[in-house]
DNA sequence: CACGAGACCTGTTCGC
DNA sequence: TGCGAACAGGTCTCGT
């Protein structure tokens, strides 16, 4: 479930509490880890030792990473395909996919649930080593139109694959990329260096509009994995194969690009428009 | 450099 | 109803 809006929603909820005790200020007494491969760095034994008695200072987000600053070190969590992170009250029944549990001094628990076990957890002194490999934040001040334009032109990749490349731009995944390309009326297979100035401006706006709408809806809930948001009700193309395009009525098509299901309107998003 | 295929995992849904 | 195939929010590595 986790693209930028979902991760942002999780971070805000943990930070503010939202009816539950806020995470900042709480102390992690220890962690229970039942799927050791979730711990990417450091070695699991070191992780267990160093996470003890750490106080949480803040919860934030960079790209699709949750960034939990501690009084010593920083916890990075990547939810990948099926991860979720939430706090539970004392005595809450254990769910089947809660493979890592952080025990808090309040007797609440911070639980990392991950059915597919693709998620990763890092405990680092210098999180920049990982976070600096990410491209700009789409909703931040460094994502300027001029910068976006020059970087698009310096590559010749399919635009959808490039937008999903986290080192190019941090936070877009399969859902929000399809939705943004639809909004900008750009075919997902167009080469990044062939986009016109007008298309780039449309896309730049569409990316931010789509992500902001997603955040406003607290992200998207799909299937059984994430139940927090409602953006799925605003999907225009994602998982709407065969349904009429809301702009022109043409049935939405699904193709495979870079091994990912890709949804678009074959009429609004033309592949062969830039020349002749 | 850019792409496709295969891995990593498990659960749900689809098609016959 | 049953059973295998296809599919799922992500990313890494390898071969071409």
């Amino acid at each position: 479930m986790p693209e930028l809006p979902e991760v942002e929603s999780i971070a805000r909820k943990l930070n503010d509490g939202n009816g539950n005790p806020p995470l900042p200020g709480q102390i992690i007494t220890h962690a229970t880890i039942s799927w050791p491969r979730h711990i990417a760095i450091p070695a699991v034994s070191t992780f267990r030792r160093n996470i003890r008695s750490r106080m949480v200072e803040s919860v934030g987000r960079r790209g699709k990473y949750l960034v939990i600053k501690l009084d010593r070190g920083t916890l990075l969590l990547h939810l990948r395909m099926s991860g979720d992170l939430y706090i539970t009250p004392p005595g809450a029944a254990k769910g089947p996919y809660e493979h890592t549990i952080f025990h808090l001094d309040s007797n609440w628990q911070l639980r990392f649930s991950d059915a597919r076990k693709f998620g990763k957890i890092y405990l680092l002194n210098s999180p920049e080593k990982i976070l600096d490999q990410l491209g700009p934040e789409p909703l931040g001040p460094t994502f300027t139109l001029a910068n976006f334009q020059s970087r698009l032109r310096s590559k010749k990749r399919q635009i959808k694959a490039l937008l999903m490349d986290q080192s190019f731009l941090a936070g877009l995944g399969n859902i929000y990329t399809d939705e943004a390309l639809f909004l900008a009326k750009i075919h997902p297979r167009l080469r990044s260096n062939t986009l016109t100035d007008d298309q780039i401006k449309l896309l730049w706006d569409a990316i931010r509009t789509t992500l902001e709408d997603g955040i406003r809806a607290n992200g998207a809930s799909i299937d059984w994995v994430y139940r927090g948001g409602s953006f799925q009700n605003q999907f225009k193309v994602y998982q709407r194969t065969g349904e009429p395009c809301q702009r022109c009525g043409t049935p939405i098509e699904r193709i495979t690009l870079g091994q990912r299901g890709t949804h678009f309107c074959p009429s609004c998003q033309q592949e062969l428009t830039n020349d002749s």
Side-chain angles (χ1 to χ4, degrees), chain A residues 3-275:
Chain A
E3 299 179 35
L4 187 153
E6 289 77 31
V7 179
E8 177 68 22
S9 298
I10 290 171
R12 289 183 184 181
K13 189 167 182 180
L14 292 175
N15 232 346
D16 305 342
N18 222 336
N20 295 331
L23 201 51
Q26 298 205 53
I27 292 168
I28 298 170
T29 59
H30 64 289
T32 305
I33 300 157
S34 63
W35 182 255
R37 292 160 76 174
H38 266 147
I39 310 300
I41 299 175
V44 180
S45 56
T46 308
F47 183 94
R48 280 203 177 90
R49 184 166 4 102
N50 291 351
I51 198 65
R52 298 185 79 96
S53 305
R54 296 276 62 78
M55 187 175 77
V56 174
E57 293 188 341
S58 66
V59 184
R61 177 195 60 75
R62 171 78 172 97
K64 299 175 190 171
Y65 286 90
L66 281 159
V67 182
I68 301 183
K69 286 189 178 159
L70 307 173
D71 56 351
R72 208 164 67 220
T74 300
L75 208 46
L76 295 185
L77 297 99
H78 198 299
L79 276 26
R80 294 284 181 100
M81 292 284 264
S82 60
D84 200 358
L85 189 71
Y86 44 83
I87 60 173
T88 57
K94 186 179 178 302
Y97 315 123
E98 295 168 347
H99 302 300
T100 294
I101 296 182
F102 299 91
H103 303 258
L104 305 169
D105 63 335
S106 62
N107 286 322
W108 286 61
Q109 296 178 339
L110 177 67
R111 297 185 181 183
F112 179 57
S113 173
D114 184 17
R116 291 179 72 179
K117 300 178 175 173
F118 287 166
K120 294 293 173 195
I121 302 175
Y122 307 77
L123 178 56
L124 305 166
N125 292 320
S126 305
E128 319 78 62
K129 287 218 164 172
I130 288 178
L131 300 181
D132 286 354
Q133 295 173 30
L134 297 173
E137 279 294 316
L139 301 179
T142 63
F143 184 55
T144 63
L145 178 57
N147 177 266
F148 186 46
Q149 179 167 312
S150 70
R151 294 170 67 237
L152 282 175
R153 300 231 155 110
S154 71
K155 307 273 187 183
K156 299 179 180 175
R157 297 176 61 184
Q158 295 177 338
I159 186 61
K160 170 163 180 177
L162 186 57
L163 293 178
M164 289 182 65
D165 182 336
Q166 301 300 296
S167 69
F168 181 80
L169 187 62
L172 285 180
N174 208 35
I175 293 177
Y176 292 91
T177 302
D178 280 4
E179 294 295 319
L181 287 170
F182 171 79
L183 191 54
K185 302 186 181 180
I186 293 172
H187 192 289
R189 202 150 41 202
L190 285 183
R191 298 281 152 180
S192 58
N193 61 327
T194 67
L195 298 192
T196 64
D197 287 356
D198 286 348
Q199 285 178 312
I200 292 173
K201 174 65 163 68
L202 280 170
L203 183 55
W204 185 67
D205 284 333
I207 288 168
R208 293 174 306 142
T209 298
T210 304
L211 291 174
E212 283 166 358
D213 287 350
I215 290 172
R216 199 170 299 118
N218 297 312
S221 305
I222 304 183
D223 298 336
W224 81 107
V225 180
Y226 176 76
R227 307 284 351 143
S230 61
F231 190 64
Q232 69 279 7
N233 299 322
Q234 299 175 52
F235 289 168
K236 302 284 193 289
V237 289
Y238 186 78
Q239 287 190 344
R240 296 207 178 282
T241 309
E243 295 180 30
C245 168
Q246 293 178 24
R247 275 195 305 239
C248 75
T250 304
I252 300 302
E253 270 185 27
R254 180 189 184 281
I255 60 175
T256 298
L257 272 191
Q259 356 254 99
R260 308 305 301 275
T262 298
H263 315 74
F264 68 104
C265 170
S267 175
C268 293
Q269 296 166 268
Q270 297 275 329
E271 186 162 15
L272 306 171
T273 51
N274 289 339
D275 26 58

